[in-house]
Amino acid sequence: MGGSFWHDAVEFAPILIKGAEITLLVTLSALILSTVLGLFWALLRVSRNKFLSWVSAGFVNTIRGIPILVQLFYIYFVLPEIGIDLTAFQAGAIGLGIAYSAYMSEVFRAGIEAIGVGQIEAAQSIGMTRSLIMRRVILPQALNIALPPYGNNLIMLLKDSSQTSAITVAELSLQSKLIAASTFKNMTVFTLGAIGYLVMSLPLILVVSRLEKRFKSK
Amino acid sequence: MIQITDLHKFFGTNEVLKGISLNVTAGEVLCIIGPSGSGKSTILRCINGLESYDSGQIRIEDHLVDRENKNIYWIRTHVSMVFQRFNLFPHRTALENVIEGPIYVKKENRKTALERGRSLLQQVGLANKENVYPSQLSGGQMQRVAIARALAMEPKAILFDEPTSALDPELVGEVLSVMQNLAKQGMTMLVVTHEMGFAKEVADRVIFADNGIVVEEGLPSELLTNPKHDRTRDFLKRVMHG
């Protein structure tokens, strides 16, 4: 390494940073989609309607049982055959978002189910309807409980965004691979790539462990 | 105002209420005493529809209590409840707990609700705690906030489900004195309690329930000092010594 490492690092940095930007964009898009969808699945799951609850459980288990990579292939290569053409970025963000909605929904559901029956009875006893109880009493507490595991999912999501390289999303790991293939400087390039991921994930890890501590001290 | 006629309730095959009838008139303080598992709390929980009942009738004024009917919301906004374990909303301050119902259920104007919320906290002696979260309050303070929350609905009656049973002994007095003040102001109260002193001093009438039936009812001075039934006598002997 030595001098040539720094020399190469400076040369590759702009491309890798471009890749890291795509990584963040894919992660953020998938996070938004998985949060909204995950909350939706969780609410269906705890609803009084047996059928809706069953649909949600079926979806979540199906998604959890299929590797993310296969889901990405499915969206990118199979959907065009039925006339749904997506760019690689769109397919990556949507695929990750759907895959993670299953994990997010489990996190939200655990939070919702952690709320004691006393809270619900207190809310009922002042005349609240089911939807108002959910909105004002259960969800605010459940989301607070869900925050640390939600953060952990986000960290996993950030790293799993590298799987979208398989469907040609030009994110950090794909850019690393391309540079390595054309320069043969494997050690330099992949070390930089790994550092890139660490720089993005470490702050998240620190925030989550803060949240977990705060939660334990309560 | 609260009329219960021949109330029966099963938990599975176990009949916990075996034909309860009782009336509470407006402004009255009625205490229900009796051993654990006698169904006292279940009676209260049927009145505001937290539990369903299997037969018989409960009426609040002329409204039939029916959990499956929309009118249950009317019942619950007019008959408040105070729980053994307080059940304050931990993510809201004392004042927010009190104004939650007025603002989100009764759709009161926020400013009016805040003003009344503050005056209710003052009434229960917690004016200085309005911005404090429940986790920083003592049990007695939490229960007083819960009473303020119940009062904020401007109910016709309040159900108290063993309101001091979860409290350390030194905190019981502050809650009972708030309740005593309410009674003086003419609030209709139905109180399930083990506090015989409170029943004796504050109640207009006392009911002794055991094993799902009303064994005996009467003036506190009579029932508590000179009970007619053996079961009442046994129970009182046990609690007075306990």
Side-chain angles (χ1 to χ4, degrees):
Chain A
M1 301 229 290
S4 89
F5 174 87
W6 293 112
H7 180 265
D8 292 337
V10 171
E11 189 188 335
F12 302 150
I15 306 173
L16 293 175
I17 288 170
K18 249 299 136 313
E21 282 171 9
I22 303 289
T23 290
L24 286 177
L25 261 165
V26 142
T27 302
L28 188 65
S29 314
L31 178 69
I32 293 168
L33 181 61
S34 66
T35 302
V36 174
L37 262 184
L39 199 52
F40 174 72
W41 297 128
L43 289 175
L44 284 195
R45 185 68 184 268
V46 300
S47 90
R48 267 193 303 188
N49 185 319
K50 284 267 156 56
F51 176 73
L52 292 181
S53 169
W54 178 84
V55 166
S56 163
F59 175 88
V60 167
N61 288 332
T62 304
I63 292 296
R64 286 204 300 178
I66 301 172
I68 291 176
L69 197 53
V70 175
Q71 295 181 43
L72 291 173
F73 286 156
Y74 209 90
I75 289 175
Y76 191 55
F77 296 119
V78 179
L79 290 191
E81 289 184 15
I82 57 167
I84 302 173
D85 265 312
L86 297 169
T87 66
F89 179 88
Q90 289 166 341
I94 292 172
L96 275 180
I98 291 176
Y100 265 80
S101 75
Y103 307 122
M104 293 306 195
S105 106
E106 291 296 276
V107 162
F108 292 140
R109 178 167 73 106
I112 289 171
E113 286 173 353
I115 306 305
V117 68
Q119 287 291 303
I120 296 162
E121 290 185 345
Q124 285 176 327
S125 80
I126 54 173
M128 286 190 169
T129 58
R130 277 182 67 85
S131 60
L132 194 57
I133 294 173
M134 188 52 84
R135 196 159 57 82
R136 295 288 307 169
V137 178
I138 298 178
L139 277 185
Q141 297 184 65
L143 294 182
N144 199 25
I145 294 171
L147 211 49
Y150 178 85
N152 275 323
N153 274 358
L154 171 56
I155 294 162
M156 304 280 287
L157 172 60
L158 174 74
K159 293 181 292 175
D160 274 338
S161 70
S162 64
Q163 300 204 47
T164 62
S165 64
I167 57 167
T168 75
V169 176
E171 45 68 75
L172 180 55
S173 64
L174 183 61
Q175 295 291 22
S176 308
K177 206 177 101 184
L178 292 177
I179 300 173
S182 59
T183 63
F184 300 107
K185 300 202 164 155
N186 289 331
M187 158 103 64
T188 308
V189 175
F190 287 120
T191 303
L192 289 172
I195 291 170
Y197 278 107
L198 270 178
V199 166
M200 292 186 279
S201 61
L202 272 180
L204 290 174
I205 292 172
L206 291 177
V207 168
V208 169
S209 69
R210 274 272 174 82
L211 287 175
E212 280 169 346
K213 262 196 212 126
R214 186 199 70 174
F215 203 71
K216 269 187 200 132
S217 68
K218 264 197 178 173
Chain B
M1 184 174 80
I2 303 174
Q3 300 125 33
I4 304 180
T5 321
D6 196 27
L7 185 69
H8 289 260
K9 162 84 185 163
F10 289 84
F11 284 128
T13 55
N14 180 24
E15 189 172 23
V16 289
L17 299 180
K18 301 171 182 166
I20 299 278
S21 296
L22 63 88
N23 288 315
V24 187
T25 54
E28 187 180 30
V29 178
L30 178 59
C31 283
I32 307 181
I33 61 170
S36 311
S38 57
K40 309 175 303 265
S41 294
T42 309
I43 301 173
L44 293 198
R45 294 166 57 82
C46 286
I47 293 174
N48 72 348
L50 290 182
E51 298 279 358
S52 60
Y53 51 95
D54 294 297
S55 67
Q57 232 184 39
I58 303 176
R59 284 182 177 280
I60 310 295
E61 293 180 338
D62 41 9
H63 300 260
L64 180 70
V65 177
D66 175 5
R67 303 178 78 201
E68 304 305 322
N69 190 309
K70 284 252 181 289
N71 86 344
I72 197 64
Y73 299 115
W74 185 94
I75 305 275
R76 286 172 179 163
T77 50
H78 289 82
V79 180
S80 292
M81 188 155 192
V82 172
F83 297 87
Q84 181 177 353
R85 306 218 62 98
F86 333 126
N87 298 347
L88 291 183
F89 304 128
H91 55 305
R92 310 209 181 280
T93 63
L95 184 59
E96 286 168 346
N97 265 277
V98 175
I99 62 176
E100 182 75 13
I103 290 181
Y104 291 93
V105 178
K106 295 178 80 180
K107 314 272 185 221
E108 261 174 38
N109 164 306
R110 190 175 179 87
K111 202 166 155 251
T112 328
L114 276 170
E115 271 169 29
R116 212 156 39 79
R118 290 202 176 95
S119 91
L120 285 169
L121 281 179
Q122 189 168 10
Q123 187 183 334
V124 298
L126 293 171
N128 57 341
K129 299 287 186 190
E130 68 171 66
N131 294 319
V132 171
Y133 284 90
S135 59
Q136 287 149 292
L137 295 173
S138 73
Q141 291 170 331
M142 280 196 266
Q143 195 60 298
R144 286 187 279 152
V145 174
I147 292 172
R149 178 174 68 177
L151 287 169
M153 298 305 287
E154 298 180 306
K156 294 169 183 291
I158 304 183
L159 312 171
F160 291 86
D161 186 6
E162 303 198 27
T164 58
S165 297
L167 296 178
D168 291 335
E170 76 271 19
L171 302 176
V172 168
E174 62 191 65
V175 171
L176 291 182
S177 82
V178 167
M179 290 169 62
Q180 189 160 12
N181 281 332
L182 276 184
K184 272 189 207 140
Q185 291 164 27
M187 176 58 76
T188 310
M189 296 161 65
L190 185 49
V191 187
V192 170
T193 186
H194 293 292
E195 295 294 330
M196 298 305 146
F198 176 81
K200 199 167 192 169
E201 223 174 294
V202 181
D204 298 305
R205 243 177 345 128
V206 178
I207 281 183
F208 174 68
D210 187 16
N211 204 16
I213 58 166
V214 172
V215 177
E216 180 168 356
E217 69 172 277
L219 297 173
S221 52
E222 291 163 7
L223 190 141
L224 294 174
T225 49
N226 191 16
K228 291 192 204 72
H229 287 260
D230 290 344
R231 275 151 85 184
T232 318
R233 208 169 296 135
D234 285 348
F235 172 75
L236 287 173
K237 211 179 284 169
R238 263 183 291 134
V239 291
M240 298 303 184
H241 287 103

